[in-house]
Amino acid sequence: MRKKLFLLTLLFAATATSFGQTTTTENKGDFILVRNQNGQTLGYAPNSGVKILTINGLAFKDLNKNGQLDTYEDWRLPVEQRAQDLAKQMSVEQIAGLMLYSAHQAIPGAGGRFGASTYNGKPFAESGAKSSDLSDAQKKFLLEDNLRHVLITTVENPGVAAAWNNNAQAFVESIGLGIPVNTSSDPRHGYDSYAEFNAGARGKISKWPGTLGIAATFDPAIMKKFGEIAATEYRAMGIATALSPQIDLATEPRWSRFDGTMGEDPDLATDLAKAYVDGFQTSTGKDEIKNGWGYKSVNAMVKHWPGGGPEEGGRDGHFGYGAYAVYPGNNLKDHLQPFTEGAFKLNGATKMASAVMPYYTVSYKQDTKNGENVGNAFNKYIITDLLRNKYGYDGVVCTDWGITGDVQAVDLFQGKSWGVEKLTIAERHYKVIEAGCDQFGGNNVMKPVVEAYQMGVAEHGEAYMRKRFEQSAIRLLRNIFRVGLFENPYLDPQEAEKVVGSEEFMKAGYEAQVKSIVLLKNQNKTLPLKKQLKVYVPQRYSPASKDWFGRETPEKWDYPFSLDVIKNAFEIVETPEAADFALVGIESPQGGVGYNRDDLTKGGNGYVPISLQYGDYTANDARATSIAGGSPLETFTDRNYKGKTVTARNNYALKMVNDTKAKMPNKPVIVVIDASNPMIPAEIEKSASAILLHSGVQTQACLDIITGAFEPSGLLPFQMPMDMKTVEAQKEDVPRDMQPYKDSEGNIYDFAFGLNWKGVIKDKRVAKYKK
């Protein structure tokens, strides 16, 4: 009888009153909620073994199941005090697991980019598992390796993500000290160019321009709004840490990660970084727990310290051929500014970004203390002396993914242990810890972290290493405590479906898309156009290619826009002759990665130019000797590519634009550029009557500019170079040092340039940032 009454009480909600305090209990099925009238709401799984302790009428979770209220379980106490208490209770193995950040996890792990997972020993499709179930690998690293930080990638839908979160939280709540999972995500609000925006439409998640696109609005308020909305959607899916923003200063125009940045100007990037982090981290009203942190907060992991932008020749640090960041202009200070004056000096109550990720690169000759040229996360000067001591940063420092692994060649996507390739995996872990980092990105196994601890004991003694491990544990635990996960990590999957991609959020994202579009050219006021004109849309050609993981994509012909969306505004015709105008969609030149094995077979060193033009480019003006070089995987140090020739992979775009103009010499040709990098406009500008540039928007956003539904307001957050000679002459670490292109209308495609219907935009944004 007592058992029946207890179950009925949980089902319909129970109320208990003691010492003037009231708690209510509600059974949500997979979890139970206990609401303190004057305190935090608690959530726990009914089968996790967690009990509720009632003290002076207030409810607390007995996470370690010892029958008493420990300091870390007391939500009334300061976060720092709770984190210190829990760190002291943790074993070395538990702290080692806390210092891990998982490899990429798809939900469900049914195959694809990051591989397939097994469920009870079977592939997902054969297992009978739910999409929200934990995979075998996830159960293993949570249980055996004590891992508590999980990076998720694709999710089936928001409800599945929330249900997976509940399963993961219930699993870890039942073991050890009950430390919750802190789930993270890389940016996931990118656009679908083929989707149609409808003011009443919902989506899987709100769609925004890429980060570079938001930068083109020159409006920190839009960036902050993005952060607030994205954080709300993240928390609805169980994501409490964002592996963003990328606040590298984009001073090297050829870098493949240029489009993830906030542009090349330090002042603009600083203001946008501050707004982004404030938006993500700040909770208000009933959602706030303390000091701006709370249930709508998402920890922001700013990246990449001390700035990943100045890659020599534009080659990226994911590969050995791009291991070096160089500073020919002696300009490290501009690259630090978005961190030190932006992310570390917030306007909001959280005050500072809660986590930092160093980049893979060797910041060449920047270690003025020890003279080490090793990857940033291995460098004690870069992490401890500069970041922690000089700039007073005591948050989490997490390595980029996979830096402790081995690598067999400079062009293979494997480990990224630049400068320490000859160390063992355990020795690399130890060097990272000694440098001042707290966490290992992409590592699922605690064994090498424990081995690193033992190395430290041998060198410094047990007391030193125990203190060092607890120091990192406290930093990591703060970020879990502050967002309320210890009290209630559980979610309502149905609520997640309502919140994520809501009408309100979709509308805000779409408005930002429109505001991010830059009108570069509008010859004779070609735009706006009347609706229902006849339009010719040429197909584009994409040659076969391979991604970083070696997976091949076959060649294809496709339309660069959604024809269904275009049909809502114009009549599509099959030939240029039948059209009133042409709409040509191209991507900025894909000029290579700066390395090609074919060059080795010709007796070269493998290094080739990265081009920002479509046509053949020979690097006659490149530097004769590289600034940096040297790897155990190579027998030389000079990585120069002077005199070598490359052609952009998507060079068909050049033919596409110019041939269309040749077929329609007296009709408008509207060119829309999806820009990942700056480019050389000279190749296509004269064939275009109007040019729109964006960094990730839907077809409809472009049409709303073309038809005049919205007036263009975007500004270039970077320079568009006159030619490749000025690209070779610019210094990788210096912003805005190229000769910008001047078009046939006399306009200069410089930083902060853009047109509206009246002409060149000269407003407060331009006055503030174009100094």
Side-chain angles (χ1 to χ4, degrees):
M1 185 64 181
R2 284 184 177 179
K3 186 175 182 181
K4 281 186 178 180
L5 286 172
F6 177 68
L7 290 173
L8 285 170
T9 300
L10 287 180
L11 183 61
F12 296 108
T15 302
T17 304
S18 178
F19 294 92
Q21 304 287 346
T22 299
T23 61
T24 60
T25 302
E26 182 181 0
N27 191 330
K28 303 288 284 186
D30 293 336
F31 59 95
I32 296 168
L33 289 180
V34 180
R35 295 184 175 89
N36 286 290
Q37 181 184 18
N38 296 309
Q40 297 301 311
T41 295
L42 312 179
Y44 68 99
N47 298 319
S48 67
V50 167
K51 305 296 182 185
I52 294 296
L53 303 172
T54 303
I55 299 172
N56 295 332
L58 296 173
F60 303 88
K61 291 163 68 173
D62 184 13
L63 289 166
N64 62 5
K65 308 166 188 69
N66 66 354
Q68 62 188 30
L69 181 63
D70 290 80
T71 297
Y72 85 90
E73 297 165 338
D74 189 342
W75 45 260
R76 298 169 299 183
L77 297 175
V79 163
E80 195 70 14
Q81 189 176 345
R82 297 177 71 187
Q84 289 172 359
D85 175 67
L86 181 51
K88 284 183 170 59
Q89 295 193 39
M90 296 175 73
S91 67
V92 169
E93 290 76 15
Q94 287 171 325
I95 295 177
L98 192 67
M99 296 171 76
L100 302 176
Y101 225 126
S102 82
H104 300 73
Q105 305 293 309
I107 300 172
R113 178 179 175 186
F114 296 103
S117 301
T118 59
Y119 295 76
N120 296 318
K122 296 179 180 180
F124 176 74
E126 302 171 15
S127 67
K130 296 179 181 177
S131 297
S132 57
D133 286 349
L134 301 184
S135 70
D136 296 336
Q138 289 162 0
K139 291 176 182 176
K140 180 181 184 299
F141 63 57
L142 292 171
L143 177 64
E144 297 178 18
D145 293 287
N146 299 308
L147 185 147
R148 290 297 180 272
H149 293 80
V150 180
L151 170 59
I152 64 171
T153 55
T154 55
V155 297
E156 186 172 293
N157 57 56
V160 165
W164 180 89
N165 167 81
N166 292 350
N167 290 333
Q169 301 295 3
F171 186 84
V172 297
E173 193 174 72
S174 69
I175 55 180
L177 295 164
I179 299 172
V181 169
N182 183 353
T183 303
S184 73
S185 173
D186 281 313
R188 60 194 312 117
H189 283 80
Y191 73 106
D192 176 359
S193 65
Y194 294 95
E196 179 178 0
F197 173 73
N198 181 315
R202 293 178 52 80
K204 287 190 176 181
I205 198 164
S206 60
K207 303 298 181 186
W208 295 72
T211 308
L212 189 62
I214 299 180
T217 70
F218 277 55
D219 189 347
I222 293 177
M223 187 67 85
K224 186 179 180 184
K225 175 60 71 175
F226 164 70
E228 292 167 348
I229 289 174
T232 300
E233 293 183 312
Y234 273 25
R235 290 305 300 267
M237 295 190 291
I239 298 167
T241 294
L243 300 188
S244 58
Q246 184 187 337
I247 59 176
D248 306 295
L249 203 60
T251 51
E252 169 45 63
R254 295 164 289 189
W255 186 31
S256 63
R257 300 193 70 178
F258 191 101
D259 61 337
T261 73
M262 297 177 182
E264 67 174 305
D265 183 75
D267 292 337
L268 178 61
T270 296
D271 289 349
L272 293 172
K274 187 176 296 190
Y276 188 113
V277 179
D278 267 333
F280 264 87
Q281 291 192 168
T282 305
S283 290
T284 58
K286 63 181 178 59
D287 297 312
E288 183 180 7
I289 298 172
K290 193 171 184 181
N291 297 327
W293 291 102
Y295 291 104
K296 292 291 176 65
S297 298
V298 172
N299 294 287
M301 185 180 291
V302 294
K303 57 189 186 184
H304 304 86
W305 181 264
E311 306 261 8
E312 182 162 21
R315 300 183 296 270
D316 182 62
H318 278 82
F319 298 88
Y321 57 66
Y324 291 100
V326 295
Y327 300 84
N330 193 28
N331 192 35
L332 177 63
K333 65 177 179 62
D334 275 354
H335 293 265
L336 299 181
Q337 183 181 313
F339 295 89
T340 61
E341 303 303 312
F344 299 168
K345 291 183 179 178
L346 302 179
N347 294 325
T350 65
K351 295 183 180 180
M352 182 180 291
S354 66
V356 170
M357 182 188 294
Y359 203 39
Y360 297 117
T361 46
V362 176
S363 295
Y364 189 63
K365 291 188 176 180
Q366 297 307 299
D367 181 349
T368 58
K369 184 176 181 180
N370 307 306
E372 272 200 305
N373 283 311
V374 295
N376 291 313
F378 298 104
N379 192 305
K380 190 169 185 177
Y381 171 79
I382 294 293
I383 304 301
T384 294
D385 294 318
L386 194 61
L387 175 60
R388 296 210 184 277
N389 294 343
K390 182 173 181 178
Y391 293 107
Y393 187 78
D394 192 37
V396 168
V397 178
C398 176
T399 75
D400 212 330
W401 261 234
I403 72 162
T404 56
D406 292 326
V407 61
Q408 279 75 49
V410 295
D411 62 340
L412 294 181
F413 192 76
Q414 298 175 329
K416 298 154 186 65
S417 49
W418 315 139
V420 295
E421 293 93 339
K422 294 182 179 180
L423 298 183
T424 66
I425 290 176
E427 287 170 341
R428 292 173 197 149
H429 280 77
Y430 181 48
K431 189 167 179 63
V432 166
I433 293 168
E434 286 288 88
C437 297
D438 305 298
Q439 199 165 27
F440 299 91
N443 291 21
N444 291 0
V445 181
M446 72 175 181
K447 183 174 180 289
V449 185
V450 174
E451 291 174 349
Y453 179 87
Q454 293 164 348
M455 290 176 184
V457 170
E459 182 175 354
H460 300 291
E462 184 85 37
Y464 170 91
M465 278 310 288
R466 178 69 204 189
K467 181 179 179 181
R468 175 66 189 86
F469 260 44
E470 286 188 20
Q471 181 184 45
S472 285
I474 290 167
R475 291 171 180 149
L476 292 160
L477 291 168
R478 279 185 204 137
N479 291 356
I480 307 177
F481 277 114
R482 290 191 293 206
V483 297
L485 291 177
F486 274 89
E487 276 59 70
N488 180 25
Y490 295 96
L491 302 165
D492 181 344
Q494 291 182 333
E495 183 66 16
E497 292 287 353
K498 293 178 183 177
V499 170
V500 180
S502 70
E503 178 182 339
E504 175 190 355
F505 295 169
M506 295 291 284
K507 184 174 185 290
Y510 183 77
E511 289 175 351
Q513 289 185 45
V514 174
K515 290 179 180 179
S516 74
I517 297 171
V518 183
L519 179 61
L520 290 178
K521 184 179 180 180
N522 195 21
Q523 187 178 44
N524 298 323
K525 295 191 175 181
T526 299
L527 301 181
L529 293 175
K530 294 179 180 179
K531 288 187 175 182
Q532 304 311 317
L533 292 174
K534 295 178 180 179
V535 60
Y536 169 65
V537 183
Q539 283 190 304
R540 66 182 172 192
Y541 170 70
S542 300
S545 63
K546 290 183 179 180
D547 64 12
W548 283 359
F549 303 92
R551 291 188 299 264
E552 293 187 2
T553 300
E555 67 174 4
K556 65 176 181 179
W557 289 87
D558 68 351
Y559 287 102
F561 308 103
S562 167
L563 297 188
D564 288 337
V565 174
I566 291 176
K567 286 176 183 177
N568 293 332
F570 301 108
E571 179 185 346
I572 299 174
V573 295
E574 296 296 322
T575 65
E577 292 77 15
D580 296 310
F581 75 100
L583 183 60
V584 184
I586 61 176
E587 296 175 333
S588 55
Q590 298 165 8
V593 298
Y595 190 88
N596 192 327
R597 285 199 176 193
D598 290 344
D599 184 65
L600 293 172
T601 64
K602 300 173 184 176
N605 60 3
Y607 291 84
V608 295
I610 297 174
S611 178
L612 298 182
Q613 66 184 41
Y614 296 108
D616 293 351
Y617 167 61
T618 301
N620 292 324
D621 298 300
R623 57 176 63 106
T625 305
S626 66
I627 294 173
S631 165
L633 304 170
E634 294 177 329
T635 59
F636 54 86
T637 58
D638 183 9
R639 296 179 166 190
N640 95 81
Y641 51 82
K642 187 177 177 66
K644 296 179 183 178
T645 300
V646 293
T647 304
R649 189 180 75 87
N650 61 335
N651 66 323
Y652 183 80
L654 178 60
K655 175 180 172 61
M656 187 176 167
V657 174
N658 293 336
D659 281 5
T660 300
K661 183 60 180 177
K663 294 172 184 176
M664 306 175 64
N666 299 313
K667 297 178 182 179
V669 174
I670 315 301
V671 177
V672 178
I673 304 170
D674 185 348
S676 298
N677 293 80
M679 59 182 284
I680 311 299
E683 293 178 298
I684 56 99
E685 179 264 317
K686 291 180 182 178
S687 293
S689 308
I691 301 174
L692 297 177
L693 180 141
H694 68 86
S695 294
V697 301
Q698 294 163 270
T699 295
Q700 188 169 338
C702 295
L703 289 185
D704 277 347
I705 297 291
I706 291 170
T707 60
F710 291 90
E711 185 170 14
S713 61
L715 303 169
L716 284 175
F718 51 81
Q719 294 180 311
M720 294 280 264
M722 178 176 66
D723 52 29
M724 282 303 297
K725 184 175 182 177
T726 191
V727 173
E728 296 290 3
Q730 60 88 33
K731 296 176 179 178
E732 285 91 338
D733 60 327
V734 177
R736 296 165 54 180
D737 64 338
M738 294 189 293
Q739 181 68 39
Y741 177 74
K742 183 176 181 179
D743 74 7
S744 56
E745 300 287 292
N747 290 317
I748 298 173
Y749 296 179
D750 202 352
F751 171 79
F753 170 76
L755 300 172
N756 57 24
W757 300 144
K758 299 180 185 68
V760 177
I761 298 172
K762 297 178 181 179
D763 58 15
K764 291 186 293 185
R765 299 171 301 160
V766 177
K768 180 176 181 179
Y769 292 108
K770 190 173 183 180
K771 301 171 184 175

